[in-house]
Amino acid sequence: IMKYFLIMNPKARGGKSQKLFDLIFTLLNNANIVYDYRITSSIVDAYEFSVYANTEQFDVVVAIGGDGTINAVLNGFYNKNGKKISGSSMGVIYTGTSPDFCKSYNIPINTKRAVQTLIGNNRIKIGIGKLTYSVKNDINFNEQLLNDNQNKEVRYFGCCANIGLGASVARRANNGIRKYLGDFMGTLFSLFITIVKYR
């Protein structure tokens, strides 16, 4: 029997994500799926719950939220040396605002279709990128900083990564502006503000 672990972000899509949780539970219960779940209160929770689910050898660890939740869950599959820590697979039920990950891998955005895809055991292999960086802000950056384990961080990503201006726009847009202005206008407004303030 397949065991699923759901990592659910109620704050995705400006808090609208939580309204889909009952539907997801109903669809899984109707299909007699065995699952456990945790509700996140932060992006760090999503990562830590993923590490837990991988350590406990759940068959499928499911990210339920937006691209930030998906990325945090994905990072929970790997250690700092780039080794996958379990044989678990990753599932996605998208409840966010800008479905870059789902568009990249043709994962349904509609909740009912996403659940059907998940429990239908439809799997694809995806490429994972690894980013190693120094948390020490040093104008004299050199490779030695990356070899310093105290200052070194490793992150993984599935379809795309924003660095610099793009990351600033995404961070600003995801901090609540979209909740009031919608996805397109919130992102556009964030772009203008970021261009003016970016250093």
Side-chain angles (χ1 to χ4, degrees):
I1 296 174
M2 298 270 288
K3 294 189 302 178
Y4 294 75
F5 190 88
L6 315 178
I7 299 171
M8 311 178 84
N9 178 0
K11 296 177 184 174
R13 197 182 293 165
K16 294 178 182 174
S17 173
Q18 189 166 11
K19 295 176 182 176
L20 296 170
F21 290 179
D22 285 342
L23 172 63
I24 293 167
F25 290 140
T26 298
L27 293 169
L28 293 173
N29 291 337
N30 288 346
N32 296 316
I33 298 299
V34 176
Y35 66 90
D36 193 359
Y37 71 94
R38 299 289 186 280
I39 307 289
T40 66
S41 59
S42 70
I43 209 72
V44 174
D45 283 351
Y47 168 76
E48 291 177 351
F49 293 153
S50 180
V51 171
Y52 164 79
N54 277 279
T55 304
E56 293 296 312
Q57 300 293 317
F58 279 85
D59 297 294
V60 184
V61 182
V62 185
I64 302 175
D67 283 336
T69 306
I70 294 167
N71 181 260
V73 170
L74 172 66
N75 273 271
F77 278 75
Y78 295 91
N79 65 22
K80 286 196 171 189
N81 298 318
K83 301 286 185 189
K84 196 161 180 261
I85 63 174
S86 76
S88 303
S89 296
M90 182 172 158
V92 173
I93 299 174
Y94 195 80
T95 61
T97 51
S98 298
D100 295 334
F101 186 89
C102 292
K103 285 180 181 177
S104 296
Y105 301 113
N106 295 316
I107 298 169
I109 297 169
N110 173 277
T111 303
K112 288 182 181 178
R113 287 186 54 220
V115 171
Q116 288 303 316
T117 299
L118 179 72
I119 63 180
N121 204 21
N122 297 306
R123 297 175 188 223
I124 58 168
K125 286 190 176 186
I126 63 171
I128 302 298
K130 177 182 177 183
L131 180 67
T132 304
Y133 62 96
S134 173
V135 295
K136 188 174 182 183
N137 189 5
D138 190 335
I139 197 164
N140 299 313
F141 179 82
N142 58 45
E143 195 171 327
Q144 186 176 355
L145 281 173
L146 288 182
N147 295 325
D148 178 3
N149 284 333
Q150 274 190 320
N151 294 310
K152 182 170 77 173
E153 290 287 338
V154 178
R155 295 286 186 270
Y156 301 90
F157 58 95
C159 67
C160 53
N162 282 322
I163 299 172
L165 189 66
S168 293
V169 171
R171 186 178 304 111
R172 191 176 308 267
N174 291 334
N175 277 340
I177 293 175
R178 286 179 174 156
K179 180 178 180 180
Y180 301 105
L181 300 179
D183 188 32
F184 176 76
M185 289 305 296
T187 303
L188 185 63
F189 181 75
S190 298
L191 174 62
F192 286 134
I193 296 298
T194 302
I195 288 171
V196 170
K197 295 187 171 185
Y198 186 75
R199 286 195 172 89

